[in-house]
Amino acid sequence: MPQATVHLLRHGEVYNPDGVLYGRLPEFHLSGLGQEMARMLAEHFSARAAQGANIVHLVASPLTRAQETAQPISEALNLGITTEDRIIEAANYFEGLHVNKGEIFRPKHWPMLRNPFRPSWGEPYKDQAARVLAAVQDARLRAIELGGEGAEAILVSHQLPIWATRLSAEGKPLWHDPRKRECTLTSVTSLVFDDAGNLLRVEYSEPAAALLPGASTTPGA
C-alpha cells in the first residue's frame, strides 16, 4: 500500500466577464458554474471517503477562487482549510490584460517574449514546480502524521503550477504547448507516493467533466 497520496485539484470556473488574465489579482470569485463544480468535487471526495479513502488534510492557495473551491470540500469532509502560499498561481507579466494575439504581440511587449522556454513573461516553470513539489512533500508528511498509512491530502491550486509540477514529477521537459495541458477546471492530478516518499505514479481524473462543456476557455481561467 502506498504511504500517501496528494491530490492537486484545480479550482472551478471563475466569473471573468471581461476575459482578462487575472493571475494573482484579488477578488476573482467562482462563477455560478464554478460553484457547482466545487460542490460536485465535494460530493466526489465525500463519496471516496465513504468508501474508505483516508482524506485527512485540505490545503488551498490563498487566492479567492481556490479558497472558494476548497470550502464545500471542507464542509463535506469536516476538514479545516490550511492556506499555502507555495501553491499560488504563477506570476505573469500579462496579468490584467486581455490575452489575445493583438495584445500579446504589440511591440512594447516584445522583450517579454524573448524566451518561451523559461518563460520570459513570467515565473520560470522550474521555480513553479519546485515550490509546489515542496508543498506537496510537506502535505504528504502532514497527512501521514494525521492519518497514518494510506493517508491522503488535497491541495487546491491553479492550472499552470499543477501542470509544471506534473511534468517535473514525471521527469519531462517543462516547456510545453499551453493548449495541450491535461488539467481542466476542477480536475484532480494525484501524486501517489511509496513509503520512502518516492513517486510511484501520477493519476488524473475529471470528476466534474459533465460541467466542462460551455465553461470558460480564457487562458488561466
Side-chain angles (χ1 to χ4, degrees):
M1 179 183 292
Q3 190 174 29
T5 300
V6 178
H7 304 286
L8 292 172
L9 168 60
R10 186 183 173 194
H11 61 80
E13 185 192 60
V14 172
Y15 179 69
N16 183 20
D18 295 328
V20 302
L21 193 154
Y22 40 75
R24 295 180 177 179
L25 294 174
E27 298 307 315
F28 274 85
H29 296 266
L30 294 182
S31 66
L33 179 61
Q35 294 171 13
E36 189 176 352
M37 289 177 171
R39 289 191 291 270
M40 184 172 286
L41 262 292
E43 293 172 359
H44 165 76
F45 284 113
S46 182
R48 289 196 67 253
Q51 295 167 2
N54 188 19
I55 306 171
V56 296
H57 189 38
L58 177 61
V59 182
S61 155
L63 295 177
T64 302
R65 58 192 186 270
Q67 293 283 325
E68 291 181 347
T69 301
Q71 188 59 44
I73 300 172
S74 171
E75 294 169 359
L77 299 181
N78 194 28
L79 294 175
I81 301 172
T82 299
T83 298
E84 172 57 79
D85 291 340
R86 290 175 294 179
I87 61 174
I88 198 171
E89 177 66 278
N92 194 309
Y93 165 81
F94 294 104
E95 181 179 282
L97 299 179
H98 293 86
V99 181
N100 54 55
K101 290 183 179 179
E103 177 62 44
I104 290 176
F105 292 108
R106 293 176 64 185
K108 70 176 184 178
H109 299 319
W110 289 353
M112 306 308 299
L113 303 175
R114 64 187 181 276
N115 183 3
F117 296 95
R118 184 178 182 266
S120 52
W121 57 82
E123 183 183 8
Y125 296 133
K126 64 179 180 61
D127 291 354
Q128 296 177 50
R131 62 176 169 82
V132 176
L133 282 170
V136 163
Q137 287 294 346
D138 285 351
R140 177 184 69 84
L141 293 173
R142 180 58 175 159
I144 294 168
E145 179 183 347
L146 292 170
E149 185 75 14
E152 302 182 20
I154 300 169
L155 275 60
V156 186
S157 185
H158 309 269
Q159 187 191 62
L160 180 51
I162 292 174
W163 185 242
T165 298
R166 176 175 173 177
L167 291 176
S168 179
E170 294 180 331
K172 297 178 180 178
L174 300 187
W175 183 84
H176 60 278
D177 182 342
R179 297 169 297 181
K180 296 182 180 180
R181 293 173 188 159
E182 187 180 40
C183 190
T184 63
L185 292 164
T186 53
S187 60
V188 182
T189 300
S190 303
L191 307 180
V192 184
F193 295 95
D194 67 12
D195 290 344
N198 300 309
L199 184 69
L200 288 174
R201 64 185 181 275
V202 176
E203 300 174 349
Y204 177 80
S205 63
E206 298 177 354
L211 300 179
L212 291 175
S216 173
T217 58
T218 301

